[in-house]
Amino acid sequence: MRKIPVYNHPAAGWSALIDSSRVLMDYKAFLRGSRSILGSNQPEWGFDCPGCAWPDHKTHKMIDVCESGIKVLASETMTACADEAFFAKHSVTELQDWSGYELEQAGRLAQPMQYDASQDKYVPIAWETAFKRIADKLRGLNSPDEALFYTSGRVTNEPAFMYQLFVRLFGTNNLPDCSNMCHEPTSVMLTKQLGVGKASVILEDFEQAKLILMFGQNPATNHPRMLEMLAHAHQQGCRIISINPMREQGLHKFRNPQKVSHMVAGSSDDMVDEVIQIQIGGDAALLTGLAKWLIENDKLNQDFIAEHTSGFEQFSGWVSEQRWTAIEEGCGINQAEIINLARLVADSPATICTWGMGITQHVQGEDNVAMITNLLLLMGMIGIEGAGVSPVRGHSNVQGDRTMGIHERPAQSLLDSLQRFFKHPMPQQPGYDVVKGAKAMQQGKLKAFMAMGGNYSVAAPDSQAIQQALTNNELNVFVATKLNETMLYPGDNNIILPCLSRTERLVTSKGNQFATIEDSICQVVKTQGRLKPISDSLKSEAQIIAGIATELFDEDGRLDWQAMSEDYDLVRDYIAQTIDGFENFNVRIRENKRGFHLYHPARHRQWPTDSGKAQFEVPQYPITYVAQEMQAKSDAMKAVNEQQAEHKASGSTQAIWQFTSVRSHDQFNTTIFGHEDRYRQTKRRDVLFMHPDEMSRMGWQENDKIVVMRKDSQGETRKLGPLLLTKMDIASNAVAGYYPECNNLMDLDSHAPTSHIPSYKSVTVELQRIE
Ligand SMILES: Nc1nc2c(c(=O)[nH]1)N[C@H]1C(S)=C(S)[C@@H](COP(=O)(O)OP(=O)(O)OC[C@H]3O[C@@H](n4cnc5c(=O)[nH]c(N)nc54)[C@H](O)[C@@H]3O)O[C@H]1N2
Ligand SMILES: Nc1nc2c(c(=O)[nH]1)N[C@H]1C(S)=C(S)[C@@H](COP(=O)(O)OP(=O)(O)OC[C@H]3O[C@@H](n4cnc5c(=O)[nH]c(N)nc54)[C@H](O)[C@@H]3O)O[C@H]1N2
Ligand SMILES: [Mo]
């Protein structure tokens, strides 16, 4: 691996601070930004950092924030505004050519705007006119199901509850959210297997764990506050193993900004003991190997299996049929190495499995989650201290939004409870998720689109087609803090409604309001912004929902939406009456600085599943799924090449790879703060990462220009690039590029069967070098 330039500085520490201050400077957000940083994740007077869903440190340091949080805050607190003057200067057609980075720098949305086709520009609209127009257009639809109501996971609990209620009273379950592209396989499989689709661990479990298996996750970049926990666990003697096709350099050493010895004397803590560098899509195969050895060598927790689980016979029968050759082919790791890992699992008295997008964003994403849970069930590693499942969520309140009912396939119990309490029928038909919604829009089945945050068209596969489809809608509404691409493909009516951000104060006729969020370990905490809003014309998300709802619904029997938006205690009372686990919400959220933990039955070895037990699940796809896909494509390509002799003669070298998409520390999803990635040693984003041995094999060099091509399910060839070839310590079947720039390569048909998560982390591609 010496051929690869590696980042050998510790993660976090000074480089992160310097990098963050560069971004703060860039945003000219130093003053507002640094005041807000002091307030992040502070239980008594602060707000929950909108950076990610990792829980706050329980001791609540003076500054509990990280590089990623600082950048997200800088982006929110910047003083530049995309206001009337900005939109007067730039036509929408012009803005369509701006990069994500440029749009981000345009600044905070500052006043309500509507698209004026005659000028091709956004022009101001009064709030009341906007609410009336939206209500009129929604009322004019043939059916409520012609509208799609998207949510991104930064929205706090109270407005999220109001939003889903508003959408359901309007008459549809068309409530897709960013979860559909993120941890949906986790929610689907954990619900099936454990009865609750959420993490079973709490923060203290990381202090007791003896083995942490971290699958497909890159915390140095995406959850930097998690590094401290990992370094701490490691110091306590916990072994930490990263299972990842990439050797993510930020994972090895950690310089803790909270420790003087680290920041002044330059020392650092170690984190990861080992990287199991599997092939892309190889997790289920690796986990099958582990299960096989553990079963065959009788290392199981038989008592737990007998008392608490169902489906073991079928699962172990399936495992015994899996051959070691297939396991090795599926994951690219040899039997001896898998057995070494299995021994660690067998010897560990307390094992946690954490996972991220490397597990979920595959056609076999549900199988991957099922196999992780199966492993923990074999060992009885759920419901004891220091052990359990720990999916690590992305957006700071993506988990809470789901709990509040943002779900296109709501549980019957939620619908019943809403119906009973609000005395109004709730729609019973499942709604569209992200993928189905995007298809329906393209097919003209939808006429209205509303987004409560997010950047739907860029985050989803098939971005250009979605943008085209948006232009056919009668109504598009965006409730947002920042301008983004999805707002630039206007339909008949295109309205931008700017909202307060998490860091800004919400003062209503009822005084200062605080909101709540639920983090990745089911802790519900308060969040309250303190900064003066960037513009006097902003409204809270709740006030915007109330404005539309008041116009839309008939007066008799109407809920008092304005009262809800003015008084979050009232919303919390409604939540307490309708959502499980929130009894006495207003009292409990004020009782304890750290909020409260939502009851998780699996922690207590209670299993609200169909069978009443924890459930083993047999994978739906062969464990060599990806290898087979690649073989099939490779055979097809050979056949074509043989037919076209001139192709060979031209000397063009092509080959088949798995393409995966990753994030850098200079972005938050589709928001691009800058172009650097110091851990991967690049200063640009139009790169294609590949192992140097593979470059040599192909006769390619660093900085060669490569076009990535993919035949989609319709037989159309999609292209990305040219991208610059860049060295990376990555598995041999794999190449990687940055999300979201690659999303036109993806199509809406490659997704997992039940959760419909797009396969962003593995698509089979052909590479072609061009001059
Ligand atoms: N700075 C920053 N922080 C963020 C975000 C951001 O964009 N920027 N986004 C937020 C959001 S919404 C989310 S969901 C989280 C995402 O956080 P992560 O889950 O860490 O996200 P990714 O960077 O998409 O991918 C994680 C890893 O998956 C690996 N991988 C790819 N294919 C496979 C595979 O087949 N198997 C395995 N085992 N690994 C694989 C990649 O090499 C990469 O290291 O981060 C959140 N935090
Ligand atoms: N290829 C590929 N595609 C992916 C992924 C991948 O790994 N690879 N990851 C997927 C994942 S995990 C996710 S979560 C999705 C993300 O998809 P989204 O959640 O839709 O995207 P974001 O970029 O997080 O949304 C950013 C926008 O949210 C708005 N916003 C920010 N803060 C607020 C707020 O407080 N309130 C409101 N109302 N609006 C706000 C701003 O206007 C900003 O432009 O992308 C998915 N797409
Ligand atoms: Mo996410």
Side-chain angles (χ1 to χ4, degrees), residues 218 221-222 243-244 248 281 283 357 362 663 667 669 761:
N218 182 21
T221 295
N222 297 320
I243 295 109
N244 198 316
E248 296 283 18
D283 299 83
M357 298 301 100
H362 297 272
R663 306 162 146 78
Q667 75 183 92
N669 296 337
K761 288 286 184 279

Side-chain angles (χ1 to χ4, degrees), residues 137-149:
K137 291 291 155 194
L138 288 177
R139 219 180 286 114
L141 298 176
N142 293 322
S143 144
D145 292 329
E146 287 181 343
L148 191 70
F149 297 88

Side-chain angles (χ1 to χ4, degrees), residues 315-349:
F315 175 67
S316 65
W318 174 85
V319 169
S320 67
E321 286 163 17
Q322 308 305 308
R323 300 275 152 260
W324 278 106
T325 46
I327 292 170
E328 289 184 331
E329 190 196 355
C331 64
I333 305 294
N334 67 39
Q335 186 178 351
E337 210 180 322
I338 299 176
I339 292 176
N340 280 342
L341 184 59
R343 283 187 212 279
L344 289 182
V345 174
D347 292 343
S348 162

Side-chain angles (χ1 to χ4, degrees), residues 51-52 68 182 215-219 221-223 243-246 248 278-283 356-359 361-362 394-395 660-665 667-669 680 761:
C52 75
S68 165
C182 189
F215 290 89
Q217 211 213 320
N218 182 21
T221 295
N222 297 320
H223 303 91
I243 295 109
N244 198 316
M246 275 207 213
E248 296 283 18
I278 55 163
Q279 299 287 324
I280 286 190
D283 299 83
M357 298 301 100
I359 282 294
Q361 294 174 334
H362 297 272
H395 267 298
T660 196
S661 54
V662 293
R663 306 162 146 78
S664 78
H665 54 69
Q667 75 183 92
F668 192 88
N669 296 337
R680 302 196 183 102
K761 288 286 184 279

Side-chain angles (χ1 to χ4, degrees), residues 448-512:
F449 173 73
M450 174 164 176
M452 190 53 66
N455 191 0
Y456 184 74
S457 71
V458 176
D462 218 5
S463 299
Q464 280 171 7
I466 297 178
Q467 288 163 353
Q468 186 53 45
L470 281 166
T471 64
N472 297 327
N473 283 349
E474 287 171 14
L475 175 71
N476 298 316
V477 181
F478 304 93
V479 180
T481 50
K482 299 294 284 271
L483 180 62
N484 64 44
E485 294 87 338
T486 309
M487 303 167 188
L488 300 174
Y489 296 87
D492 292 345
N493 290 278
N494 231 60
I495 299 178
I496 297 177
L497 302 176
C499 65
L500 292 169
S501 76
R502 189 85 64 87
T503 43
E504 289 165 337
R505 58 178 174 245
L506 171 57
V507 188
T508 69
S509 58
K510 299 282 177 185
N512 276 311

Side-chain angles (χ1 to χ4, degrees), residues 178-179 181-183 357 361 393-395 398 663 669 739:
C178 65
S179 278
M181 301 180 265
C182 189
H183 263 296
M357 298 301 100
Q361 294 174 334
R393 308 258 168 189
H395 267 298
V398 61
R663 306 162 146 78
N669 296 337
Y739 145 68

Side-chain angles (χ1 to χ4, degrees), residues 100-143:
Y101 173 78
E102 290 165 322
L103 291 174
E104 163 63 13
Q105 296 290 332
R108 280 286 299 278
L109 294 164
Q111 63 199 99
M113 306 294 287
Q114 64 171 324
Y115 179 68
D116 175 2
S118 67
Q119 305 178 51
D120 186 29
K121 280 184 177 158
Y122 269 108
V123 297
I125 181 173
W127 278 108
E128 289 311 316
T129 320
F131 293 153
K132 276 207 181 70
R133 173 92 45 83
I134 294 165
D136 276 351
K137 291 291 155 194
L138 288 177
R139 219 180 286 114
L141 298 176
N142 293 322
S143 144

